[in-house]
Amino acid sequence: DAKTTQPPSMDCAEGRAANLPCNHSTISGNEYVYWYRQIHSQGPQYIIHGLKNNETNEMASLIITEDRKSSTLILPHATLRDTAVYYCIVRVARNQGGKLIFGQGTELSVKP
Amino acid sequence: NAGVTQTPKFRVLKTGQSMTLLCAQDMNHEYMYWYRQDPGMGLRLIHYSVGEGTTAKGEVPDGYNVSRLKKQNFLLGLESAAPSQTSVYFCASSHTLLAGNLGEQYFGPGTRLTVT
């Protein structure tokens, strides 16, 4: 599975959009980009995933560059409850049980 | 629908003691996973299972054993606990989708284990 690089921390003002970047320059054609978040002391929570096209759901949007070497998770109107560690994970859909390899993630602090 | 549940929530062991952590899911998922998380670090995969009766090693399997006798349960065992196994343990499960893709993983609330 391709490795990912994320900034260790970011701040965002409440009500503003939070844009979390992720680099995955060694991604291969059959690998998906997944985003999870972990609110303090809780189990990780799935946010969104994509392969090539941009994706949007009720939680967030995922923008993947055309060469697929990087992506951005967008929380359109961040709230204090969005304060969490956000993990960008790249994995093949089904190989090796579809296991997730977590890196260090980005600690997002949403401030009033 | 309880999702993924873990038992117990907290436990303190002495070095050399044994214990079993239980994970249960009611979503009829094929795949189940055990992770550990140490302070300031991301999750690391211990073992996983792609179906009833099957298990496989993850990144950090040493010192742990697992069993998947029933589809809904995935047990993690520590035969002789060591202080290095002090951690938070998370269980997860996922389902299969069409075209061979795997759905997202659903995580339990975690078990906080301290080995003294």
Side-chain angles (χ1 to χ4, degrees):
Chain A
D1 291 336
K3 291 186 178 179
T4 61
T5 304
Q6 299 176 254
S9 64
M10 292 181 63
D11 290 339
C12 178
E14 188 178 18
R16 305 296 292 268
N19 296 278
L20 291 86
C22 179
N23 287 323
H24 30 79
S25 58
T26 60
I27 192 170
S28 57
N30 60 348
E31 288 182 313
Y32 289 72
V33 180
Y34 283 78
W35 284 85
Y36 283 76
R37 73 179 182 183
Q38 187 175 25
I39 298 170
H40 181 64
S41 299
Q42 298 180 21
Q45 176 190 23
Y46 165 82
I47 301 172
I48 198 167
H49 76 281
L51 182 62
K52 296 180 181 178
N53 300 322
N54 298 336
E55 302 287 345
T56 295
N57 62 20
E58 64 278 5
M59 289 183 68
S61 295
L62 173 61
I63 309 297
I64 302 174
T65 58
E66 193 168 343
D67 62 7
R68 302 206 326 120
K69 292 186 177 182
S70 66
S71 60
T72 300
L73 178 74
I74 301 172
L75 307 178
H77 305 287
T79 71
L80 298 179
R81 288 176 293 182
D82 291 322
T83 292
V85 178
Y86 287 77
Y87 295 99
C88 170
I89 300 165
V90 173
R91 74 166 208 208
V92 177
R94 200 163 188 160
N95 274 8
Q96 299 179 339
K99 62 183 181 182
L100 299 172
I101 297 178
F102 287 80
Q104 296 287 74
T106 295
E107 186 167 5
L108 176 68
S109 296
V110 181
K111 301 186 176 181
Chain B
N1 190 334
V4 179
T5 58
Q6 294 183 231
T7 309
K9 290 185 170 54
F10 303 93
R11 185 71 185 269
V12 178
L13 288 180
K14 294 185 178 180
T15 298
Q17 288 185 317
S18 63
M19 77 164 295
T20 300
L21 282 68
L22 171 63
C23 176
Q25 53 95 2
D26 60 2
M27 297 174 282
N28 201 35
H29 287 173
E30 289 290 334
Y31 293 73
M32 297 187 74
Y33 313 81
W34 275 108
Y35 295 87
R36 62 176 286 174
Q37 185 173 35
D38 300 315
M41 296 182 66
L43 282 73
R44 292 183 292 169
L45 183 66
I46 305 172
H47 286 280
Y48 64 99
S49 168
V50 302
E52 183 178 323
T54 70
T55 63
K57 295 181 180 179
E59 299 174 76
V60 289
D62 294 341
Y64 304 96
N65 57 75
V66 288
S67 64
R68 183 96 181 270
L69 298 180
K70 293 183 179 180
K71 185 177 184 179
Q72 63 268 34
N73 295 335
F74 195 28
L75 278 63
L76 178 71
L78 287 72
E79 290 186 345
S80 180
S84 61
Q85 293 178 304
T86 293
S87 189
V88 180
Y89 291 85
F90 289 101
C91 176
S93 70
S94 65
H95 56 109
T96 54
L97 301 173
L98 296 176
N101 194 5
L102 276 173
E104 63 268 27
Q105 290 188 15
Y106 294 83
F107 285 81
T111 294
R112 283 148 184 80
L113 175 66
T114 302
V115 182
T116 61

